[in-house]
Amino acid sequence: MKVFKFGGASIGSAEAIKNVASILSQEDEANCLVVISAMGKMTNTFENIVNFYVNNDQEKLIESIDFIINYHTKIINDLFQDEHKIHQKVTILFDEMTHFLSRNIAKEYDYLYDQIVCYGELLSTTIVSEYLNDVGISNSWRDARELVITDAVFRDASVNWVETEKHIKTKIDTSITTIVQGFIAGDLNGNTTTLGREGSDFTAGIFAYCLDAESLTIWKDVPGVLNADPREFEDPQLLEQISYEETIEMAFYGASVIHPKTIKPIQNKKIPLIVRSFKDLNSKGTKVTNKAEMIPHIPCYIVKKNQVLVSIASLDFSFIVEENISEIFKLFHKYQLKVNLIQNSAISFSVCLDNNLNHFDQLFNEMKVLYNVSFVKNVDLFTVRHFTENSLSKIYNLGTSLLSQINKNTAQVIIQKN
Ligand code: ASP
Ligand code: MG
C-alpha cells in the first residue's frame, strides 16, 4: 500500500481537486491511503472563528463562519450537481460546528480550538472523497479521530502509538482506497485533538508506519526538497536524493519543507519518502531514504528571521560559570524563548534567540538586574549545510556579520541587514 498526502494548496479550488483526481488515476490509485489537509488557508479562518468566539465578537464570528460556508459552497457548486448528496453532508458538518458553539460551556482555549479547527479537514475530506467516487475512484472515507489516538494535550497532542497502531491495523482495509484527514486525531475520551499546525505530513507518516507502506508521497506546490527556500533565495535547486538524517537536520535548522515529526516513524521502517510537485508530474521530485549520499551534493541554505542576538556578562566581569548558565537558561525557559545558537567565552555568553512570541523585552527587564546584558534585535540566522567558501561569502555579502560558528558540515552566521 502507498500513502499519499495532499496539503491545502493542492485542494484549494475545484480545479485543484480535479488535478488530484487525475494524479490518483495516473498513479494506479487502487489500494492507497490518501491523507488530506484543510482546503487552501482554511485553518487560519477556523483559528479566527475560535478567537472571535472566545472574545465574544458576534459580528466577526458570524462573518468568518459565512466566509467558510461560502468558500466550500463555491467549490462544491463547481464540482457537483445541485441534487448531489454532498450538499446535505456538508450542511450536517456546518450545523454540527455551530451547534457545538451554541451549546458549549467549556472555557479552555486549546480544547475549544481543536473541537472547531477540525472541521477544516472534515469538510475537505468529505468533499474530495465524494468527488473521487463520482469520477470513478471509489474510496472509503474514514474519521482520523477514531484511528490516530493521542493524549489529551490539545493543540499539541502526542501519539499513543500502541492504540493508534491497533486501530489503524484493524480498521483500515488495505485492498481499497481510503481517504482520511491529516492533522486531527482523538483522545481516549472521544475528544478531538490536533497534532500542531502543518501536522498533516506527520499524520501521513503515522499511517505509513502503521500500515508498513511501500512508500509515502507528499505532494507539494514546489518541485520537491530544494536547497533553499524560494521565498528567500534566488535560483533554488532541487535535491534529487537525500537521507532521512539530512531532512531532520534541515528541519531542525528551520527549513520548512516537511513537518519534522514525519521522518522518525518512516525512518524506523525504512519507508521511502517522495516529495513531488502536484503541478508538474514530469518532475520526479526528491527521494528521501536511508542512503547517505546527497544528490546533487550542494550547499543548502536555511534562514531564521526575527532573531535577537544577546550577550550576557556578569556585572563584575567575573567569569560566566555553570551556575550562571543554568540561571540564564531558566529565564529563557520562563519566557518561552527558543535558543538557536550559543557561543561562550570567558566573560560573556552569547545566544541567538527566536523572538516570535515577542517575550524578549520581559526577559531583558528581569535579566538586566542580574547581568550586564546587551542585544541586537531583528537579525537573521543563516545556516549553510555542506558549506563551501563561495556559499559562505554569499551569506556574508547580505549584511554585517555579527557572529559565526563553523562545524564540520554546518556553518551558522548571524547577519544584520544593512
Ligand atoms: N490544516 C492544518 C494546517 O493548516 C494542517 C496541515 O495543513 O498540515 O496547519
Ligand atoms: Mg498545510
Side-chain angles (χ1 to χ4, degrees), residues 374-388:
S374 61
F375 62 86
V376 191
K377 275 189 178 175
N378 212 358
V379 294
D380 297 337
L381 171 63
F382 287 88
T383 303
V384 188
R385 297 271 300 156
H386 316 287
F387 58 92
T388 56

Side-chain angles (χ1 to χ4, degrees), residues 5 7-8 37-38 40 43-44 113 117 121 182-183 196-201:
K5 182 257 170 171
S37 310
T43 303
N44 295 347
Y113 179 103
V117 166
E121 271 72 13
F183 175 56
R197 287 301 305 265
E198 303 302 326
S200 294
D201 292 352

Side-chain angles (χ1 to χ4, degrees), residues 39-312:
M39 291 176 169
K41 302 229 176 298
M42 275 297 116
T43 303
N44 295 347
T45 312
F46 281 99
E47 285 186 343
N48 293 341
I49 291 189
V50 183
N51 294 335
F52 296 139
Y53 174 78
V54 170
N55 298 329
N56 217 345
D57 188 339
Q58 279 303 321
E59 201 179 315
K60 291 237 170 68
L61 176 65
I62 291 167
E63 231 173 69
S64 24
I65 294 176
D66 282 347
F67 181 78
I68 280 178
I69 295 178
N70 293 337
Y71 181 98
H72 290 92
T73 307
K74 167 152 196 336
I75 291 179
I76 291 170
N77 289 340
D78 289 346
L79 292 176
F80 301 92
Q81 305 283 325
D82 286 351
E83 302 76 34
H84 200 285
K85 62 175 185 285
I86 187 68
H87 298 287
Q88 199 197 346
K89 283 191 164 183
V90 298
T91 306
I92 291 173
L93 289 170
F94 292 139
D95 288 351
E96 235 179 64
M97 182 180 82
T98 43
H99 282 156
F100 172 83
L101 289 174
S102 60
R103 282 192 320 257
N104 167 66
I105 47 164
K107 293 259 180 308
E108 202 221 323
Y109 183 88
D110 292 351
Y111 163 81
L112 288 172
Y113 179 103
D114 285 356
Q115 312 317 304
I116 299 301
V117 166
C118 63
Y119 284 97
E121 271 72 13
L122 292 170
L123 284 160
S124 69
T125 49
T126 302
I127 295 167
V128 173
S129 164
E130 282 295 333
Y131 180 73
L132 293 177
N133 273 327
D134 278 10
V135 297
I137 302 175
S138 63
N139 66 84
S140 144
W141 180 94
R142 303 308 301 267
D143 190 332
R145 297 173 297 180
E146 294 163 9
L147 298 163
V148 180
I149 309 301
T150 67
D151 61 12
V153 178
F154 298 103
R155 290 184 74 188
D156 188 23
S158 296
V159 175
N160 178 332
W161 284 96
V162 175
E163 286 295 322
T164 299
E165 192 159 15
K166 193 171 81 193
H167 282 82
I168 291 180
K169 281 213 160 98
T170 53
K171 291 182 185 163
I172 296 291
D173 178 353
T174 54
S175 66
I176 56 167
T177 298
T178 299
I179 306 290
V180 76
Q181 309 75 38
F183 175 56
I184 73 172
D187 69 9
L188 287 166
N189 296 322
N191 288 314
T192 305
T193 58
T194 60
L195 303 172
R197 287 301 305 265
E198 303 302 326
S200 294
D201 292 352
F202 182 34
T203 303
I206 295 167
F207 278 96
Y209 176 89
C210 293
L211 294 168
D212 292 303
E214 77 182 68
S215 63
L216 163 59
T217 307
I218 295 184
W219 297 88
K220 297 194 66 106
D221 57 359
V222 289
V225 180
L226 303 172
N227 77 326
D229 183 340
R231 289 165 300 190
E232 304 290 341
F233 298 89
E234 278 171 24
D235 298 328
Q237 275 176 270
L238 177 68
L239 302 172
E240 285 159 37
Q241 176 187 297
I242 49 171
S243 65
Y244 297 118
E245 280 87 5
E246 186 64 41
T247 317
I248 292 173
E249 292 278 356
M250 282 171 55
F252 172 80
Y253 289 113
S256 61
V257 249
I258 298 156
H259 192 281
K261 285 184 185 165
T262 314
I263 303 297
K264 210 62 212 152
I266 58 169
Q267 181 183 19
N268 284 349
K269 290 205 175 167
K270 299 198 175 65
I271 298 166
L273 165 66
I274 299 135
V275 184
R276 280 184 69 177
S277 165
F278 59 80
K279 290 177 172 165
D280 177 10
L281 299 186
N282 294 320
S283 162
K284 280 207 170 121
T286 304
K287 195 162 181 185
V288 183
T289 65
N290 62 346
K291 294 205 188 83
E293 194 192 355
M294 180 168 135
I295 306 173
H297 192 93
I298 48 174
C300 299
Y301 302 86
I302 303 147
V303 58
K304 279 192 177 172
K305 305 194 138 186
N306 193 20
Q307 308 285 303
V308 192
L309 175 62
V310 193
S311 290
I312 303 154

